[in-house]
Structures are given as structure tokens and as C-alpha cells.
């Protein structure tokens, strides 16, 4: 009933499959434990190019994902800010990444996640579904494995040099690392979402784009998964929770009716009746972070570690990128090239910074919405929030995108975010006029910072390393091997 591994991964979603595959590719013995049986439903259907053309290529699964027939996503379409009509942004932000890689996919997560999990099996990961983890095994201050229940109900023990918790926002073991979660009041929202059996598509070539539209109560997402399936969700304030709890379906449809830009795309379109898309679901969409992401022998990745507002479709990217960082630390410790403490310090520093740049971008993006008569949007203005609370959370999550530590240290984050929102607003206005030959969003520091890591990850996959200076991210930091799977001291 007891076995030994180099790594045990808890959770078989994109983060868990990524960590397990990246370590198994180096020839190490890996066990992945998943409490459900795949395929299974999951939200988070809109991907970024860094996942599709960076991470998936490093894992060796890019071609299979490309053949799966998922809807191609060229960018995003937004009804947001001062522009009365929707505007588009493209992923074609740098000439160094060829056009086919300047796209992403809208995916049914049941299919996408299973592709990643089966790929993990092919490269040697021992996958056990229907096997919930009961507790973490420790000796002194170090984690040494887990106890779990196999699909036949047998209690088992797996000892390992390392454990990675990728079991999602409902993780039962994340408390072993860094205590309780820290929640952000700024992004304290609620999501209610479901599916329609079709819907009008945006004009070509942007028919596969995600469409996000701000309205009085918050904002809606509209994701074309297939010709006959559309994911629609509302992100609203917690004040609506009583109505949502009373009748989720009615509350969901009321929110759609309140947003004409989305409602007209669903005229005469029936709701989906195909399981599992026939349900309306609710998630308390709080953004959170852990004070620590690793302890000797164990690391947290994906939603077990953090979550941030989904308007930029960053969920799968943050989860898989964090998992790859953790796998690099595991691989380097196992082969003795980088000490465990140094490798995981690099994991945490990079993970915090990537979360931090998305957090900063999203605050500025929310601030540029001009619907100031709305209770929801008035509460989301930087001038109306508790800057000390948001500054403390941003510092915890990795600092501001500018990298200027003095901005946070002197309490000038409000000014920084307001200025970033103004730059975004100006760039979007230029984008809608069509007068610029170069994407005007690239003129804003906060946009280039937000997509820098994703572009670097794609360059790693395509060219074996970043095309810019390959020096460490910090003065004492580590670089990355050509295959993207380990640190270099």
C-alpha cells in the first residue's frame, strides 16, 4: 500500500498535468492523483497564446491541441471604456512571433484538460483518477508524500521527494503551505454562468474572439466554443448573491437582458440542454494569493495558489506557467544542479511577479471603464478604494508592473494605476480610429509588461530561449535551459 516517487502531483487539471509532464520528461518517476474521472467539466475556457504556442509546445502536445478543432481566437473584442461601440485587440503584438502563433483557442475544458492529462500518461506519468488525497505526510518541517484513497476505496500512501498541490480553489491541503489565503477586496466579485445552444458570431475575422461587455451591474463574457455552444457569464458584485442564490438561472438571464450588446447576440437562441452545459453555475470570484507558495518538499500552483479576475483570460496561463516554474525547481533539485531552496525561491519570485503584472493591468483596466453612475463601477474606481489595502495586496502579489518599488513604498499606487488607465484609454481610442500602423496598445508600459512573460515563453518554445537579453530576471536569479524544463545557476 506504500510506494515511492520523485514527485507526487495532486490534481489533474492543466496545472497538474503541466507539472507532472515537465518532470516526467526528465526521466523522473511521477505520480498524479486526480479525485475525479476524466473527462470532467471545468470553467476557464478562453486561452492565451502563451499556453497554446508556448507551454503546449514545451510539453510536446501542441500538434494534438491544434488538431482538436477548437475555435481559433485572434484576440478580444471589448465594449469597455469610453468607446460606445465594441473595439478589438489582436494578439499580433510582436513581429518576432510568426502569425500562426499570434492566436489562441476557445476550448471545452473537458476535452482540453483530457488531452493534457493523456499526454502526461504517454510521457511516463502514473495517473490515478478517482483517487482523492486525504492528507499530506510530513516529517519535521518537510513534506514527504500524501495519503490518498484509490478508486477501489483502498487507503494508500505515496512517499515522494516533492509534492505539488494543483488541486484547484477547493484544495484541502493548501493550508500546509503559507497558512490561510489572502483575499483582495478590489476584485471581490461573484460569477454566475451558463451556456446557450449557439448564438450570433462577431464579424470575421474576429468571429472566434471572446467578447467582454461592461454594463451597469458588472461585465459579461461571451465565448464561442462551437457553432452550437456559447459560454456566457456575468461578473457582478457580491450584493447580488441573495438573488443568485434564490434562482441562479433567472438571475443569470436577467443580467444578460441588462446588457444589450450581448443580449442581441442571443436573440431567439435557446439555452443549452446538453449535459454538462445544461446547468447554471455560481462561483464566488474572489481574487486571492497565498503568503507563501512553497515549504520544504511542497509547492502550490494553479488555483490552489492564486486566482485573479478573469476578464483577460489569464487563468489557465497563470496556472500552467506557475506549474512549469515549480517543475523547473523540482527538476533542478532532483539532478543536483540547483539547490532546492534557490530553485523554489526563483519559482515563487517569478510566479508572484506574473500574477502581479496581471493584477496591476486589471486594476487599470477596470478604472478606465466610464460607467460612473453604476454602483459596481463607482466602487471599482481607484479613487474610491482603500489604496492601503490594494497596495498591500499588490506588494504581496509581486509589486507593480513598472518594477518601481518606490511606487508602492511611498503610497503612490493610486496615481500609478490612474495614469496607467489613462494611457490605456488613449491607446484604445487610437485603436478605434485605425490611424496607427502599429498596435497603439504596445505604446503602453502596462500592456507590454503584462504580455512580456507570455511572449518569452513562446520564444522559449520556438527558439530555445528568449530573443532579448537572456540574463536572469533578478540580480541573483536563475536562467532557463533550452528545453524550458530546468533552472541554470
Amino acid at each position: 500500500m506504500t510506494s515511492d516517487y520523485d514527485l507526487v502531483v495532486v490534481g489533474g487539471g492543466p496545472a497538474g498535468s503541466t507539472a507532472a509532464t515537465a518532470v516526467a520528461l526528465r526521466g523522473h518517476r511521477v505520480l498524479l492523483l486526480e479525485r475525479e474521472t476524466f473527462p470532467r467539466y471545468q470553467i476557464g475556457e478562453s486561452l492565451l497564446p502563451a499556453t497554446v504556442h508556448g507551454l503546449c509546445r514545451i510539453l510536446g502536445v501542441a500538434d494534438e491541441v491544434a488538431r482538436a478543432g477548437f475555435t481559433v481566437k485572434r484576440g478580444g473584442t471589448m465594449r469597455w471604456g469610453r468607446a460606445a461601440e465594441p473595439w478589438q485587440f489582436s494578439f499580433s503584438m510582436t513581429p518576432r512571433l510568426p502569425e500562426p502563433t499570434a492566436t489562441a483557442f476557445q476550448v471545452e475544458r473537458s476535452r482540453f484538460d483530457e488531452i493534457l492529462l493523456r499526454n502526461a500518461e504517454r510521457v511516463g506519468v502514473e495517473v490515478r483518477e478517482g483517487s482523492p488525497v486525504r492528507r499530506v505526510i510530513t516529517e519535521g518541517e518537510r513534506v514527504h508524500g500524501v495519503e490518498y484513497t484509490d478508486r477501489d476505496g483502498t487507503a494508500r500512501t505515496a512517499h515522494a521527494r516533492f509534492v505539488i498541490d494543483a488541486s484547484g480553489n477547493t484544495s484541502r491541503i493548501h493550508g500546509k503551505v503559507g497558512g490561510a489565503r489572502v483575499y483582495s477586496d478590489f476584485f471581490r466579485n461573484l460569477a454566475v454562468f451558463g451556456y446557450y445552444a449557439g448564438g450570433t458570431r462577431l464579424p470575421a475575422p474576429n468571429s472566434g474572439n471572446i467578447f467582454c461587455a461592461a454594463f451597469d451591474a458588472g461585465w459579461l463574457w461571451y465565448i464561442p466554443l462551437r457553432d452550437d455552444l456559447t459560454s456566457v457569464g456575468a461578473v457582478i458584485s457580491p450584493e447580488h448573491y441573495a438573488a443568485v442564490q434564490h434562482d441562479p438561472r433567472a438571475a443569470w438571464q436577467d443580467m444578460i437582458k441588462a446588457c444589450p450588446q450581448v443580449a442581441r447576440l442571443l436573440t431567439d437562441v435557446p439555452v443549452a440542454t446538453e449535459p454538462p452545459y445544461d446547468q447554471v453555475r455560481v462561483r464566488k470570484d474572489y481574487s486571492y494569493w497565498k503568503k507563501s507558495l512553497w515549504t520544504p518538499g511542497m509547492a502550490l500552483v494553479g488555483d490552489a495558489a492564486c486566482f485573479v479576475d478573469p476578464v483577460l483570460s489569464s487563468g489557465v496561463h497563470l496556472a500552467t506557467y506557475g506549474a512549469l516554474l515549480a517543475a523547473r525547481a523540482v527538476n533542478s533539485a532532483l539532478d543536483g544542479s540547483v539547490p532546492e531552496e534557490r530553485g523554489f525561491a526563483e519559482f515563487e519570485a517569478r510566479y508572484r511577479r506574473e500574477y502581479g503584472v496581471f493584477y496591476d493591468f486589471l486594476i487599470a483596466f477596470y478604472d478606465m471603464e466610464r460607467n460612473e453612475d453604476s454602483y459596481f463601477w463607482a466602487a471599482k474606481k481607484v479613487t474610491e478604494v482603500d489604496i492601503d489595502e490594494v497596495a498591500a495586496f499588490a506588494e504581496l502579489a509581486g509589486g507593480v508592473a513598472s518594477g518601481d518599488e518606490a511606487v508602492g513604498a511611498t503610497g503612490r499606487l493610486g496615481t500609478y494605476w490612474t495614469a496607467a488607465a489613462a494611457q490605456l484609454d488613449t491607446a484604445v481610442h487610437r485603436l478605434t480610429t485605425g490611424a496607427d500602423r502599429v498596435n497603439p496598445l504596445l505604446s503602453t508600459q502596462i500592456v507590454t509588461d503584462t504580455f512580456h512573460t507570455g511572449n518569452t515563453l513562446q520564444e522559449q518554445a520556438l527558439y530555445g530561449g528568449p530573443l532579448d537579453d537572456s540574463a536572469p530576471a533578478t540580480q541573483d536569479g536563475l536562467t532557463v535551459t533550452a528545453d524550458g524544463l530546468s533552472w541554470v545557476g
Side-chain angles (χ1 to χ4, degrees):
M1 302 302 175
T2 302
S3 50
D4 295 322
Y5 297 88
D6 295 308
L7 171 67
V8 171
V9 176
V10 183
S17 293
T18 294
T21 301
V23 174
L25 283 170
R26 284 296 181 87
H28 303 301
R29 190 177 183 202
V30 181
L31 171 66
L32 186 152
L33 301 170
E34 166 58 45
R35 65 186 172 192
E36 298 186 45
T37 300
F38 279 40
R40 57 89 177 96
Y41 172 82
Q42 186 59 271
I43 193 62
E45 299 138 331
S46 197
L47 304 185
L48 294 178
T51 302
V52 175
H53 304 291
L55 189 283
C56 286
R57 189 164 299 280
I58 289 172
L59 299 182
V61 75
D63 291 342
E64 184 176 357
V65 171
R67 292 193 300 267
F70 295 124
T71 298
V72 176
K73 170 186 174 184
R74 294 168 55 88
T77 300
M78 320 293 292
R79 210 316 300 151
W80 203 285
R82 61 174 165 167
E85 295 299 319
W87 49 272
Q88 287 84 30
F89 71 87
S90 169
F91 290 135
S92 300
M93 288 191 171
T94 169
R96 296 183 312 209
L97 297 175
E99 180 65 26
T101 66
T103 58
F105 292 120
Q106 316 284 19
V107 299
E108 292 177 77
R109 284 287 302 278
S110 58
R111 296 173 55 212
F112 177 75
D113 291 9
E114 186 165 32
I115 289 172
L116 295 187
L117 187 65
R118 302 309 167 210
N119 180 63
E121 285 184 312
R122 282 195 297 271
V123 301
V125 176
E126 184 179 334
V127 174
R128 297 190 182 182
E129 298 169 74
S131 300
V133 170
R134 299 162 56 193
R135 73 179 187 93
V136 172
I137 301 170
T138 60
E139 182 177 323
E141 296 298 316
R142 186 173 186 85
V143 172
H144 280 279
V146 299
E147 290 182 359
Y148 68 100
T149 304
D150 216 335
R151 70 164 68 233
D152 61 2
T154 303
R156 296 183 180 274
T157 300
H159 294 290
R161 295 273 301 277
F162 296 97
V163 172
I164 291 179
D165 180 15
S167 57
N169 68 308
T170 60
S171 167
R172 295 181 178 181
I173 60 174
H174 74 85
K176 189 62 186 176
V177 178
R181 289 169 176 163
V182 179
Y183 292 89
S184 168
D185 282 340
F186 188 88
F187 291 116
R188 187 170 175 260
N189 297 328
L190 177 74
V192 53
F193 49 94
Y195 298 82
Y196 278 79
T200 301
R201 298 300 179 237
L202 299 173
N206 300 310
S207 57
N209 279 11
I210 184 174
F211 179 36
C212 295
F215 70 115
D216 284 349
W219 62 271
L220 285 171
W221 76 68
Y222 182 96
I223 301 175
L225 294 174
R226 305 188 310 244
D227 289 345
D228 61 347
L229 186 65
T230 304
S231 173
V232 185
V235 176
I236 52 182
S237 63
E239 283 70 20
H240 294 281
Y241 185 67
V244 171
Q245 189 178 40
H246 174 69
D247 191 338
R249 187 173 295 273
W252 173 58
Q253 293 187 323
D254 285 344
M255 293 299 168
I256 293 171
K257 292 175 185 176
C259 182
Q261 292 90 354
V262 171
R264 64 170 171 254
L265 298 175
L266 297 168
T267 302
D268 298 327
V269 179
V271 296
T273 58
E274 163 197 354
Y277 303 117
D278 55 338
Q279 299 181 40
V280 174
R281 295 174 169 87
V282 179
R283 178 170 176 179
K284 291 183 178 179
D285 183 28
Y286 297 166
S287 294
Y288 56 84
W289 187 262
K290 296 277 292 188
K291 288 187 176 181
S292 179
L293 297 181
W294 73 281
T295 194
M298 181 175 172
L300 306 177
V301 300
D303 287 1
C306 58
F307 182 81
V308 72
D309 187 274
V311 71
L312 201 59
S313 304
S314 59
V316 174
H317 164 65
L318 286 171
T320 54
Y321 176 65
L324 180 62
L325 296 176
R328 289 172 181 170
V330 170
N331 283 335
S332 299
L334 290 174
D335 66 23
S337 60
V338 175
E340 175 183 343
E341 184 172 354
R342 189 178 183 197
F344 278 100
E346 186 77 14
F347 148 77
E348 181 155 337
R350 293 198 187 211
Y351 203 0
R352 282 182 181 276
R353 176 159 179 80
E354 187 66 355
Y355 183 95
V357 295
F358 276 92
Y359 186 89
D360 285 338
F361 176 90
L362 291 166
I363 287 181
F365 193 67
Y366 264 57
D367 194 65
M368 68 176 281
E369 170 55 36
R370 300 299 182 87
N371 192 357
E372 296 181 7
D373 294 332
S374 156
Y375 172 82
F376 179 91
W377 291 108
K380 299 302 183 186
K381 303 303 288 183
V382 169
T383 54
E384 298 298 324
V385 302
D386 183 343
I387 293 297
D388 289 338
E389 181 276 329
V390 180
F393 192 84
E395 182 180 358
L396 183 70
V400 295
S402 68
D404 181 1
E405 294 181 2
V407 172
T410 59
R412 293 189 284 111
L413 275 173
T415 302
Y416 166 77
W417 282 320
T418 300
Q423 288 184 347
L424 278 174
D425 183 61
T426 299
V428 167
H429 179 67
R430 288 164 50 197
L431 186 67
T432 58
T433 64
D436 292 78
R437 298 183 64 183
V438 178
N439 189 334
L441 291 174
L442 293 178
S443 66
T444 67
Q445 188 65 46
I446 200 164
V447 170
T448 55
D449 281 340
T450 301
F451 287 96
H452 173 75
T453 295
N455 290 340
T456 299
L457 191 61
Q458 288 183 254
E459 292 170 1
Q460 183 82 45
L462 290 169
Y463 310 121
L467 298 182
D468 283 335
D469 183 7
S470 60
T474 62
Q475 183 176 356
D476 298 322
L478 306 171
T479 56
V480 183
T481 55
D483 61 5
L485 299 180
S486 290
W487 300 128
V488 177

